[in-house]
Each structure stands twice: as structure tokens, then as C-alpha cells.
Amino acid sequence: MTRTVAVVGAGASGLGCAVTLAQARPVVLVDRIPVTGGTSGWHHREIRNYTDRARDLGVEFQLGRTAIRWSDHELHVTGPGERAVVPADHLFFAGGLRPATAANLGLAGDRVAGILPASVAEHLLEAGVRLWSNVAVLGDGPWARKIADRARKLGSRIIGIGDHVLWADERHPRCVGWSVTGRDRVSAISLRYDHGGPGTRLPIITVPCDGIVLAETPMPNRNVDGAVLPTAVDVTFVQPIAPTECHARFANGARIAETWLRTTREVDAV
Amino acid sequence: MTGPRGLRGDIATCDVAIVGAGVLGAAIAARLSTTTASVCVLEAENDVAEGASKGNAGVAVSYYGPPGTLETELITASTPRWEEITTRLSVPYRRLGAIMVALDDAQAAHLVETRDEILACGVRAELISPLEARRQEPLITEGCVAGLLMPDEGVIDPIALTVAYANLAATNGVQIRLGSPVTSIDSLEDGRHLLATPRGIVRCRFVVNAAGISAGRVSAMAGGEELRFWPRKGQYAVLDREFAQSLRRIVFSTPSAATKGVNVVPTTHGSALLGPTASDHSDPEDKATDPETINGLIASASLLVPDIAPEMVIKHFAANRPASDEQHRLRFDSVVPTLLHCTDRSAGVSLSPAAADYALDLLNSAGLDALPRKDAVHALPPAPRLRTHLDPSALIAANPQYGQIVCACEHVSAAEINRALEQPVPATSIDGVRKRTGATYGRCQGSLCSAGIAFLTALHTNTGPATVLQTARGSVGS
């Protein structure tokens, strides 16, 4: 069996794993986009430092390639015009986080245009695109504040729904159920409360809006077949919700990799 | 040019105008397109397959009702043809077979009646023991007291089928006019019809009314019979394929007098659909889900397959099927002899191949005189998917874009997305790309990839990041 370890995700967490593992094992580091850094960004000073260390330790970079399947100790990877199989005896999956989906959130009602995941909204707002007049930001996850600030700069009024939404122009506390109304696109969101909404005794309030951003609970991205469920064989998931700072994520990845190395050494010794 | 009623736009003349580009309208268009008849399709929405054809469980059934009806006859005639049709049109299809599960003695008795009815239709069915049912599909509940094996049932991608019919029709020269709701139908002195839409006028000899839930309105405009339709809403939940791909067969609940019941249906994408529910209402635009129904649906499905858990659900949606007092129509109007009605309560996909042949026969017997055309195209270019292809390396070698994954969850490549945006009836929205490729259909629901798909769609539709269509009706930004 090969001693190679595969790491998917070249953000701070994946780099933390790769740098640590590379001190004892051959390491292949795969990422969908052609640069390291993940959500920290390739230009981040610490990321560049970690990337240099990984390179110095002999980590094999496979950037701009997508890992699609983990089975029988092989990681299947594709890139434009190519397909490769990386034999490895363990996979560290550091694929980052995504916002909870409508199904994850129990968001009911109409499925119409104007509902965007926070990760997509963030991308469009960064490009300076004005998307809405009145946007409801669902949740107070890590994207919410940033999206609210950017959207406001581009002229949108922000409706915040969650317990920590002081940054919003109109605020509604966390509710027990939410539902979208709209025909051609979103026209309102209804919020259901157990004991009446704010300033009202009605159990349901309806808030007009022309856009909805899903910015609630971060969830782990899982998109490599065979490395999705917690029961996946010979896979370590490195997708912490906290910490969020680049160096802390790196250190967390490094610690998890170190523990794994120590454990496998003990098993080898036996 | 200015037409009657001051409407602007070209007057197109054709033999047959088909109103509605759902699976039945598109199937008839594809069938007529291989003949000498000239055909135009008028679709109200901005894409094909926007009604019941995109909101169903994706089962190509072998049996749907008692023997002796036209509906049953058309289903029975279509069933053996799926392998040939789906290969020719490059549509995902798998003849998985189904097991209908009885959970108590009353249901077991009903299975016997159902078996007799299926056999009377000339279709295969076999009563099996609980042990055999669980051998065939190990995920079936231990509470199963009897099973009915229906080996000829299959799963199909109903949207891909509708799009493929439309693509074949367009390839053979059929005009497919999207965003063209029919606003009036006038009769001319020579017996022809004049159909007005906001985007032009069509003059034709025959009108095929395949407008689904709107078919009553179309018949009324044409001066035809009073047909009554109402929306029957079905809600569905989609299960993550990491679990669903272990399902081997379709699992049906035993129907009661009131409803066909909730089923567990593997999809051609590898996920599974739970559903549908059935509730009659009055607003065809109402496609809202509600948490109580979805929770009930998951609970019902887990009676059949107990491993199903709420956290496996990656999406829920609702759609309306056209309920009517006449469950199936494929016949000329009794008042307007050149108006052909073609509607079905629920089995449109399953009977579409034979219905298209039958529609052609009816039109010919009424004087269409369409003859086979020698230069007609009968097959579409192969449209392989990276994820399900047996030899991905060969695909990537032939087209490097197959190696470039855009949708990470479903492993949909740039090659597939560009093909969807460039085909004869192309995707013009992010949702149109999803309908044609399955991109954004996975567990992250586009959190990762819909920006990239929006970009590719905007490039092909000459729109921008805010104006690109997210659905057939609405843009990303407002």
C-alpha cells in the first residue's frame, strides 16, 4: 500500500494538514481552483507563507483540478483535458463550508427567482453588481454581515432575520418557520413565531422583499463521492466552523494531521 | 407587418400549431417533424417542460389504470420502446423495475387485485413474498407483508425527454416559439385557425391542444368544448444520492381508493424522489411547499424504506398536474373538428411515444396527409454525462471541457453545460441549465457553482450578472 496521503482543499485548513503530513509522508494537495488559499484568498500573506512551506516540503500540488471520487484507496481527479487517479492510503478532506440550503433551513413556499445562497450573493456583490432594493438576509452566519454591508453600499435596504442582525436596517428575530411568496420572483417572506412577532401578537408576519439571501448556519461542503458521510472509510474531515481566522484554521489542520500521524505510527509499531 | 387586431409580427403559416411544449406537445412535435407536415409550437413560458413535465417523479410506468382505456393502451404500447427511444434521443433511462409494498393484510389483498388488473392490461406483474421483496430491494421495510414485482417499470429523466423531443423537432425544422402564450384563436372562412400571441401570429389547419392545465382555456378560445381542469398539487422531497444510489428498484406504496400514495423513486441522477402527495386546489400558479406536508411525505416514505431520514433531504418542490373529469384525452373536439385535444392527468411521460404516433394517425385521418420525409433526422447526437459515463477518460480525451467540473456535487462538466446552452432549444436560464444537465441539483443546491453557471448562461444569452435569468420567469437581480 502506498504511503501517500491525499489532501482535498488548499485553503488554510488543507495547507495546515499538508504541511504537517509532508514532514512524514508524501502528500498530494488538490484544489478546484488554480491557486491555494480557499476563502482566505491566494494573496493573503500567511497563505503565501504556508504555500511556500508546503512546496519546500515536497507537497505535490494539483491545483485547478476537481476530486470527484474516493474509492479503494484511490482519489479520482479531473481537470480540463485530463483525468488522474491518485493512490493514497488516507484522505484529508478540507473542502470548506457553505451556507445551509433552503432544504437544510426548512424554507418552504414558492421556489422562485431571487433566492441566492450567501456564497453566490457574495461573489456577485464583490463584482459590484446591484441585485435588489429590499433584500432579506436569512440568518446571522459568517456571510451575513459582509453581504449586508456590501449590498447597502450598492443601494439595497437590508432586512435581517436572526438573533444577531444589528447591522440590518429592518430587524426580525429568529423565527420557527419561514416561507417564500412570489410568482415570477420573490415578493415576500413570511416568518412564523411561537408567541407572536415583534411588536405584534400575530404568529405570522409577512415582510415584503425582492431578494432573499441564505446566510444561516455554515455546513461542510461534501462533494467527493465516497467521502460524504461521517462513516466514510479512511477519510478525515477538516471542516471546522470555528476558528475562522486563517492562522487558526492552519493550526487546527496541523493539529488534526499530527494526531493522525501519531496514531498511525502507533498502529504501525504494533 | 400588422396583423388582425392590430397585433404586430409575422404571420406564420403551417399545417399544425401545437399549443404547449410539455412532454405531450413536444412528443407530437417531434413525431410530426419527421413528416411532410409543417409544424409550429407555441409555449407560454420561456422554456419547454415548465409545467407538470418538470414536476413529476420520473417514472416511465408500465401500468397506470384498468384495461380497456386509451390511456392504458398508449402506456402499454410505449413501455417496450423506452430503450430504443432513449438511446436514439440520448435521454437517461433505466428499467429498474418496481416493487409495490403491502404493509398490512388489507393492502396485501389489494395487491392481488392490482396484480389481476395489471395482467389484464397484458403487462407483467408477479406477487412475491416479503423475503423475496427484501432480497430484490434490501432497503424495503421488515414490515412488508407482501410485494408485487412490476419488472417493466423504469425511471427516466422526464425533463431531458421533453427537451430531447423539442430538440429533435427543432432539428427537423419545427418552429418552437417560447414566451408565446396564445391570447386568441380565430376561425377563418376556409376553416383555418389564426392563433395570436404577443410575439406573432400563426395560421394553421389543425390545432393540437397540449396545454396541460391551461387546456380548458385553449379549447374555449378555439370555440371548442368546455373542458374543466384544476391543479392537483404534488409535493416532493429529493434525497441525497450518497444514500439514494444504494436503491435498486422503484418502491411503490399500495394505492388506496383515494390516492396512489407516496413512492420512493430512484432518479437517473442517482438521487431519489419521495412523493407525490395529491391535493386539489384552484390556483395553477400555486406551487408552494409547506413543512407539514413535506414532513408527512418523509414519514410516509420511511414506512416503505425505514433508512430514509429527514437530514437526507436536499430539496423539496411542488408541481401541479392537470386533474380533469376526463382523465385522458387524445381525441378531436366534438364542436371544432380540427382541434385535437391531448392531455393526461399524470402519465404524460409514460404514454408520450405512442400518443405521438396516435396523434399523427388521427390528424392524417382528418386530412393532414403527412407523409414520412426522407431527409428527416430521427436521432440526436449523443449527450453523455461525465458522472455516469463508463469511460470518462475517453470523454475527456475527446473534449477537454469534460474534465472541467463546474457543479462539484453532481460532477457536471463545462462540456455538458455549454451543450445545454447551445442545443437547438437551448437553456436560457440557470434553471434551464439545471433542467438539462442536473447542475445545482445536488446537496449544496448551487451554493458553490451557480455563480459559474450564471456566468456561462449570461455569456450565451447576452445578459449580465444581475439580468441573467435564474428561472424561466425571473432574473437573479430585481
Side-chain angles (χ1 to χ4, degrees):
Chain A
M1 187 192 274
T2 173
R3 286 177 48 80
T4 301
V5 181
V7 180
V8 170
S13 293
L15 283 166
C17 297
V19 163
T20 308
L21 294 164
Q23 294 165 30
R25 298 286 200 105
V27 175
V28 178
L29 178 61
V30 182
D31 200 288
R32 299 183 68 210
I33 58 170
V35 289
T36 56
T39 49
S40 303
W42 63 273
H43 43 75
H44 195 289
R45 203 169 47 84
E46 284 161 19
I47 290 293
R48 301 187 67 170
N49 174 23
Y50 303 147
T51 307
D52 288 344
R53 278 166 66 186
R55 187 174 294 113
D56 292 346
L57 287 161
V59 169
E60 181 188 332
F61 289 86
Q62 297 224 3
L63 302 179
R65 293 178 187 177
T66 308
I68 57 175
R69 193 167 77 244
W70 169 250
S71 63
D72 302 325
H73 293 105
E74 288 180 338
L75 185 67
H76 295 251
V77 173
T78 78
E82 57 193 355
R83 179 179 167 80
V85 175
V86 178
D89 79 340
H90 200 85
L91 170 66
F92 281 78
F93 186 81
L97 302 166
R98 59 163 176 85
T101 63
N104 297 145
L105 296 172
L107 182 65
D110 295 312
R111 296 185 60 84
V112 283
I115 308 172
L116 288 182
S119 41
V120 176
E122 184 183 17
H123 186 82
L124 294 173
L125 292 169
E126 267 170 18
V129 182
R130 181 175 188 262
L131 293 170
W132 323 279
S133 305
N134 273 295
V135 61
V137 178
L138 260 60
D140 44 23
W143 301 272
R145 174 74 192 259
K146 197 151 72 169
I147 280 168
D149 290 348
R150 284 184 188 276
R152 187 184 291 108
K153 273 194 194 125
L154 292 164
S156 304
R157 196 173 150 277
I158 314 297
I159 302 157
I161 301 159
D163 289 337
H164 306 282
V165 292
L166 279 171
W167 34 261
D169 301 306
E170 176 184 334
R171 295 184 282 271
H172 298 279
R174 183 172 298 274
C175 51
V176 297
W178 32 32
S179 179
V180 179
T181 309
R183 288 291 145 100
D184 293 353
R185 66 174 297 112
V186 173
S187 59
I189 180 160
S190 299
L191 309 174
R192 197 173 77 240
Y193 291 93
D194 275 342
H195 308 292
T200 166
R201 303 201 71 80
L202 294 175
I204 293 179
I205 59 166
T206 298
V207 182
C209 60
D210 62 348
I212 293 175
V213 175
L214 308 179
E216 179 61 320
T217 334
M219 314 230 346
N221 262 322
R222 296 278 164 89
N223 44 39
V224 174
D225 288 1
V228 171
L229 304 176
T231 50
V233 178
D234 288 326
V235 180
T236 302
F237 294 104
V238 190
Q239 299 175 283
I241 290 173
T244 54
E245 303 79 18
C246 184
H247 67 93
R249 277 192 195 271
F250 178 86
N252 177 68
R255 196 165 46 246
I256 290 170
E258 220 170 77
T259 308
W260 180 81
L261 278 174
R262 202 171 45 241
T263 319
T264 46
R265 259 189 226 116
E266 283 161 11
V267 172
D268 287 350
V270 174
Chain B
M1 179 190 294
T2 303
R5 299 190 179 187
L7 288 165
R8 299 186 66 81
D10 297 328
I11 296 187
T13 298
C14 60
D15 295 319
V16 183
I18 299 171
V19 184
V23 71
L24 288 173
I28 295 171
R31 183 66 191 90
L32 294 179
S33 79
T34 64
T35 72
T36 51
S38 58
V39 180
C40 181
V41 178
L42 302 172
E43 167 56 49
E45 301 288 345
N46 288 316
D47 197 2
V48 302
E50 274 294 296
S53 304
K54 78 167 177 182
N56 62 78
V59 183
V61 300
S62 58
Y63 154 80
Y64 206 69
T69 67
L70 178 58
E71 185 187 53
T72 293
E73 223 171 281
L74 294 174
I75 289 171
T76 312
S78 299
T79 298
R81 296 172 57 186
W82 285 116
E83 281 83 357
E84 183 272 321
I85 290 167
T86 55
T87 304
R88 181 160 52 81
L89 299 181
S90 205
V91 171
Y93 171 81
R94 287 188 293 159
R95 199 180 287 274
L96 290 182
I99 298 174
M100 191 176 280
V101 172
L103 296 172
D104 56 38
D105 292 345
Q107 290 190 350
H110 192 86
L111 279 194
V112 179
E113 291 168 27
T114 307
R115 191 266 324 256
D116 294 344
E117 188 167 282
I118 296 176
L119 294 178
C121 294
V123 177
R124 296 195 294 168
E126 185 192 338
L127 287 167
I128 54 176
S129 69
L131 203 69
E132 177 62 13
R134 300 191 65 229
R135 195 188 66 76
Q136 298 236 3
E137 175 47 81
L139 291 171
I140 286 177
T141 176
E142 286 181 34
C144 167
V145 301
L148 180 62
L149 177 66
M150 300 155 74
D152 293 319
E153 303 275 306
V155 296
I156 193 163
D157 182 336
I159 302 172
L161 177 69
T162 307
V163 171
Y165 282 144
N167 278 331
L168 184 72
T171 303
N172 281 321
V174 169
Q175 264 196 52
I176 298 187
R177 297 189 180 186
L178 303 173
S180 298
V182 175
T183 52
S184 69
I185 303 177
D186 290 328
S187 300
L188 302 176
E189 280 174 11
D190 61 0
R192 286 170 195 256
H193 306 274
L194 205 58
L195 291 82
T197 78
R199 297 191 182 181
I201 293 165
V202 173
R203 180 171 48 203
C204 63
R205 292 167 61 200
F206 294 95
V207 174
V208 174
N209 178 11
I213 227 158
S214 306
R217 214 147 35 86
V218 171
S219 183
M221 280 191 282
E225 291 168 45
E226 189 183 331
L227 307 181
R228 212 167 72 81
F229 287 87
W230 62 92
R232 178 164 294 161
K233 191 198 278 186
Q235 298 193 32
Y236 298 82
V238 184
L239 294 187
D240 195 316
R241 66 186 170 84
E242 196 70 9
F243 165 76
Q245 65 198 2
S246 50
L247 281 163
R248 296 183 195 170
R249 296 199 184 263
I250 304 164
V251 183
F252 288 140
S253 58
T254 303
S256 68
T259 165
K260 294 249 176 208
V262 166
N263 306 313
V264 179
V265 182
T267 72
T268 54
H269 293 278
S271 55
L273 278 170
L274 313 181
T277 57
S279 69
D280 287 2
H281 61 117
S282 57
D283 178 6
E285 291 284 301
D286 174 1
K287 297 170 193 167
T289 57
D290 63 87
E292 292 74 24
T293 306
I294 296 294
N295 291 338
L297 175 65
I298 298 166
S300 304
S302 49
L303 292 178
L304 301 173
V305 177
D307 284 352
I308 291 172
E311 57 272 17
M312 295 169 184
V313 173
I314 59 170
K315 175 183 176 168
H316 23 82
F317 66 95
N320 291 310
R321 36 200 197 273
S324 181
D325 31 30
E326 196 179 338
Q327 292 179 330
H328 173 82
R329 288 183 188 84
L330 184 45
R331 58 171 179 80
F332 281 108
D333 189 87
S334 60
V335 182
V336 181
T338 50
L339 172 63
L340 180 67
H341 299 300
C342 183
T343 62
D344 192 90
R345 52 176 167 163
S346 190
V349 165
S350 305
L351 53 75
S352 60
D357 288 347
Y358 190 68
L360 174 61
D361 289 347
L362 286 176
L363 289 165
N364 270 341
S365 64
L368 176 65
D369 297 329
L371 300 169
R373 225 176 68 197
K374 282 200 184 83
D375 61 345
V377 171
H378 295 270
L380 291 172
R385 294 178 176 185
L386 175 73
R387 195 166 63 71
T388 51
H389 200 264
L390 294 175
D391 186 4
S393 300
L395 275 186
I396 295 169
N399 178 355
Q401 286 191 347
Y402 266 110
Q404 191 176 349
I405 308 288
V406 177
C407 167
C409 300
E410 295 299 297
H411 308 160
V412 181
S413 67
E416 291 152 80
I417 289 171
N418 284 324
R419 183 171 60 218
L421 290 161
E422 288 162 3
Q423 56 193 221
V425 182
T428 55
S429 66
I430 299 172
D431 204 43
V433 171
R434 174 190 65 81
K435 285 165 65 182
R436 287 163 178 78
T437 65
T440 77
Y441 193 69
R443 63 185 71 89
C444 95
Q445 289 288 297
S447 299
L448 221 54
C449 66
S450 43
I453 294 168
F455 176 74
L456 291 172
T457 308
L459 274 183
H460 280 84
T461 55
N462 204 17
T463 52
T467 51
V468 64
L469 286 176
Q470 188 176 6
T471 65
R473 289 186 177 187
S475 50
V476 167
S478 65

